Amino acid sequence: QVELVESGGGSVQVGGSLRLSCAASGLTFKYYCWHWYRQPPGGVREGVASIDEDGKTRYTNSVKGRFTISKDVAKMTLSLEMNNLKPEDTAKYYCAAESGGRCVSVADYYGEGTSVTVSS
């Protein structure tokens, strides 16, 4: 059974930093594309960042230069380093896994999410 468990969320002030982690189990980690999505309160879910099986990363424009996605295949862990946080980064963040490894479709598995609140 696939399980994705996020951690690291919390409340920070504008300009602060957080590091989110996602521990995966029940799948062959290296063969997946890994995503971070977020959904702000009352808003729609959006893709934040992704990393494919070769390590190629992509980011939505609003987080470029501030967020860094990374993975540790041996530890089956996905991370999202978030710096210079802004109030508009407030959301619930979800880890997700897309089979095939190429980051060309929707995810097959999602975690339960971890909340991030950025206050001014």
Side-chain angles (χ1 to χ4, degrees):
Q1 182 176 349
V2 176
E3 189 173 26
L4 306 179
V5 180
E6 301 94 337
S7 61
S11 297
V12 296
Q13 292 189 324
V14 169
S17 299
L18 283 173
R19 183 179 180 88
L20 305 184
S21 295
C22 172
S25 61
L27 48 65
T28 306
F29 189 93
K30 64 180 179 179
Y31 294 136
Y32 282 78
C33 161
W34 291 91
H35 299 267
W36 284 102
Y37 291 96
R38 67 184 179 187
Q39 185 166 9
V44 297
R45 188 175 65 192
E46 67 166 344
V48 175
S50 64
I51 183 166
D52 71 13
E53 62 178 351
D54 296 326
K56 180 179 178 181
T57 58
R58 299 172 187 168
Y59 300 90
T60 192
N61 285 339
S62 62
V63 308
K64 284 181 180 177
R66 300 189 297 122
F67 290 14
T68 303
I69 188 172
S70 61
K71 61 180 179 179
D72 186 324
V73 175
K75 295 183 179 179
M76 295 182 61
T77 301
L78 178 72
S79 297
L80 185 68
E81 183 74 31
M82 306 187 297
N83 297 313
N84 190 22
L85 284 160
K86 304 176 180 181
E88 52 264 42
D89 295 318
T90 294
K92 195 164 189 180
Y93 285 72
Y94 299 87
C95 164
E98 174 194 334
S99 61
R102 306 316 305 168
C103 300
V104 295
S105 185
V106 296
D108 300 280
Y109 305 103
Y110 293 83
E112 294 296 316
T114 185
S115 293
V116 172
T117 302
V118 185
S119 57
S120 55

